[in-house]
Amino acid sequence: MAKKRVAIVGAGAAGMSAAYALSKHPDRYEVTVFDKEPVAGGMASSMDVDPARFGAGHINDGVQGCSPAFANTLRIFRELGFPPEKVEMQISFGQGEDFWTNVFPSPLTERLAPQIRKFGRVLRTVKRLEGALALLPIRALLRLFGLSKDFGERMVYPLAALFFGTGNQTPYVASAILERVFMDPSMRLFEYDERSLLASIPEMYAFQKLSDTYTAWQHKIAEADNVTFLLGHEVLRVVKRTRTRTVLEYRAPSSDAPLCTEFDALILATDADAARTLLGEQAGWLERHVLGGVKYLHDLTVTHTDAEYMRKHYETQFRPGLLARSATDAEFERATKSFRPLYYTYQYPDARAQLEMSFDLTYYQPQLSEDRAHVFQTIFLDRDGCGARWTKREIAGGEVVGERWWKQQSHRWQHYARVVPWMWAINGTRGTYYAGAWTGEWLDERCTWGLGVTDVVPAVLNMHEIGITSGFAAAYRLGADFPHLDDEECTRLFRLYMGLSHGSRLRKEDRKGVVA
């Protein structure tokens, strides 16, 4: 029997995982991976820096790390010989009277203690009434239950924005995301605390050099001899598409004249905008509707060493005024001896629902030396909506190590009403499958049943993890095996994604139990 010719457009997490799964069947598939960039990885990239200055020769400048719940990402990276390293997730929210942290109680948490206790009751209510409240925007939820604007802007919005990547769209994000981060046993990041909101310092994982990790992944896939990587080759459009035949037009770096190649199936491991553009007139009405429902924003990351800028906008070190008067002796000791935040948020005084975020990479990325100049990354969100407020100009030019623009998916509640619930209806259309973080960012055990979707109940998942899982799912729909079937946690996430984004159960031989 002739091999099935599969084209994968995009060599980020989604495209690489699809290629990896298909590479396990060299007798059944002939795979070509296209990407307009000369290297694999997509947003999972690295930047070379001066080792004499920073104690290491690189930093990761896009994806930084993940939580222990992201099983498929962790397994892949460990198998490649790049195991992530454990770090403590310490956060510094706000500054001065707006400051609070998950390390010790502050005057702000002391002042807002009644609101924090009320918020705990709201979380329990959301858990009980999830079907009715899941998609209610956070801003509306806070108003519905009488939580103050002060509490929302100083505590709830920056918390959600930082950890879920929702940025300045946080007020419009579905409410279930809050309940999940505190109440869901499988997704919980923090223990709720009625005194300070966050009662724990979670364990996170920091990735090793991502450019090397993805290069190693590319080499491992290529060893199977049925996958060809055409990096630096830009796919221009889908010329023709039927259920069994797809013709792609692309440009090679050595030629100005477009080339055309025919395939039996197509995996679009790109963002939704790019997928819609590539399909052009070949897209059906529903595909245009779903793909058009994904909104993107333009963010800027500035990598720098400007410690003075950081001290101006964030609380980077402990000082006595940051500790609540009601703090215990143990909390005082932790504050004075152990406060070393790696996450920061800054809110604009005239628009507190909007913010900037920073990382101390020296604390986050273990290869960097704490004895050298600290390396920071500041993320400026939503150029078109907030660019006039950005504090970027305050970073000393001589301290800038690098800048990079990002096209980031917006996390509005509409995404989970218009896009995620309908992915199952467009996946497989005329031999085309979609993969990427935008296809199914929130998953939950209650999302799926049998062959379809009952309701969309958001949970918290890292976009890199969804990218990898979505690539495995696209390959699985083409007949490949799920490579991590022997790992129950990996399989749980994969099963949920298959049900939500493909409306499909696992194959009979892969199921354990009646509802798998």
Side-chain angles (χ1 to χ4, degrees), residues 8 22 49 63 88 118 122 133 151-152 161 170 173 187 202 210 218 267 302 306 372 471 513 515:
I8 300 174
L22 294 168
V49 296
V63 181
E88 285 190 345
K118 188 174 184 178
V122 171
L133 299 175
F151 175 68
T170 299
V173 170
M187 298 296 176
L210 285 169
Q218 178 186 342
I267 297 175
V302 178
D306 195 340
R372 311 289 178 88
V515 298

Side-chain angles (χ1 to χ4, degrees), residues 91-281:
I91 320 106
S92 174
F93 294 104
Q95 190 179 41
E97 64 180 16
D98 293 334
F99 167 80
W100 65 287
T101 178
N102 66 325
V103 182
F104 53 85
S106 73
L108 178 68
T109 59
E110 201 169 46
R111 178 172 69 80
L112 293 178
Q115 291 282 300
I116 294 173
R117 289 193 293 272
K118 188 174 184 178
F119 184 65
R121 295 193 293 272
V122 171
L123 291 175
R124 292 189 288 272
T125 301
V126 173
K127 185 175 180 65
R128 289 195 304 271
L129 303 177
E130 199 168 61
L133 299 175
L135 292 180
L136 188 70
I138 290 176
R139 182 174 64 174
L141 179 82
L142 298 181
R143 290 176 177 173
L144 177 65
F145 288 95
L147 289 162
S148 70
K149 181 180 178 183
D150 192 37
F151 175 68
E153 291 182 345
R154 284 171 167 79
M155 300 196 75
V156 177
Y157 294 163
L159 172 67
L162 185 64
F163 296 116
F164 314 133
T166 52
N168 292 335
Q169 300 297 305
T170 299
Y172 315 106
V173 170
S175 296
I177 197 171
L178 295 175
E179 181 259 315
R180 293 295 149 153
V181 75
F182 290 104
M183 311 293 285
D184 189 294
S186 63
M187 298 296 176
R188 181 169 54 205
L189 290 176
F190 298 100
E191 295 289 340
Y192 166 79
D193 183 85
E194 66 178 16
R195 288 180 62 232
S196 58
L197 187 57
L198 305 182
S200 58
I201 302 176
E203 183 180 87
M204 295 286 286
Y205 285 96
F207 296 142
Q208 294 195 44
K209 189 175 182 180
L210 285 169
S211 59
D212 287 352
T213 305
Y214 269 81
T215 297
W217 199 2
Q218 178 186 342
H219 292 162
K220 184 177 182 65
I221 293 170
E223 287 176 0
D225 208 29
N226 69 321
V227 179
T228 300
F229 284 90
L230 294 183
L231 303 181
H233 291 63
E234 182 179 7
V235 175
L236 303 175
R237 66 188 179 108
V238 177
V239 178
K240 185 176 179 60
R241 189 175 60 137
T242 67
R243 188 174 61 84
T244 59
R245 178 173 176 261
T246 296
V247 179
L248 294 184
E249 180 181 85
Y250 65 96
R251 180 181 290 115
S254 59
S255 174
D256 292 332
L259 305 171
C260 285
T261 303
E262 183 177 314
F263 298 92
D264 302 311
L266 172 63
I267 297 175
L268 288 173
T270 67
D271 65 58
D273 278 353
R276 186 171 57 165
T277 299
L278 291 175
L279 288 175
E281 295 180 356

Side-chain angles (χ1 to χ4, degrees), residues 21 32 50 59 61 64 83 93 117 134 149-150 166 180 209 231 283 293 307 340 357 361 363 376 414 436 452 477:
T32 304
D50 182 2
I59 59 170
D61 66 343
Q64 301 291 344
F93 294 104
R117 289 193 293 272
K149 181 180 178 183
D150 192 37
T166 52
R180 293 295 149 153
K209 189 175 182 180
L231 303 181
R340 51 198 306 273
M357 301 184 291
L361 297 187
Y363 287 151
F376 308 102
Q414 292 95 328
R477 286 291 305 278

Side-chain angles (χ1 to χ4, degrees), residues 50-56 305 372-373 398-401:
D50 182 2
R53 186 179 181 190
F54 303 117
T305 57
R372 311 289 178 88
E399 301 288 347
V400 174
V401 178

Side-chain angles (χ1 to χ4, degrees), residues 14 47 176 245 256 313 332 471:
M47 176 193 302
R245 178 173 176 261
D256 292 332
H313 294 288
F332 173 79

Side-chain angles (χ1 to χ4, degrees), residues 309-377:
Y309 166 86
M310 293 295 294
R311 287 191 293 269
K312 179 179 179 180
H313 294 288
Y314 307 100
E315 298 291 356
T316 61
Q317 296 177 321
F318 175 76
R319 53 186 177 83
L322 300 180
L323 186 65
R325 292 181 180 179
S326 60
T328 65
D329 291 342
E331 290 167 339
F332 173 79
E333 183 174 3
R334 187 162 66 243
T336 55
K337 296 182 179 180
S338 304
F339 186 53
R340 51 198 306 273
L342 52 85
Y343 285 99
Y344 299 90
T345 65
Y346 165 78
Q347 293 167 277
Y348 301 117
D350 62 336
R352 292 188 176 276
Q354 298 177 359
L355 72 161
E356 297 171 358
M357 301 184 291
S358 288
F359 306 100
D360 186 333
L361 297 187
T362 301
Y363 287 151
Y364 203 159
Q365 298 187 18
Q367 79 276 8
L368 297 172
S369 173
E370 295 184 22
D371 298 329
R372 311 289 178 88
H374 278 226
V375 186
F376 308 102
Q377 280 188 344

Side-chain angles (χ1 to χ4, degrees), residues 25 28 475-482 504-512 516:
H25 307 278
R28 294 163 53 192
Y476 192 82
R477 286 291 305 278
L478 290 172
D481 293 335
F482 173 52
S504 175
R505 299 172 67 182
L506 300 191
R507 292 189 283 267
K508 183 176 181 180
E509 62 270 23
D510 295 336
R511 297 177 205 158
K512 293 181 180 179

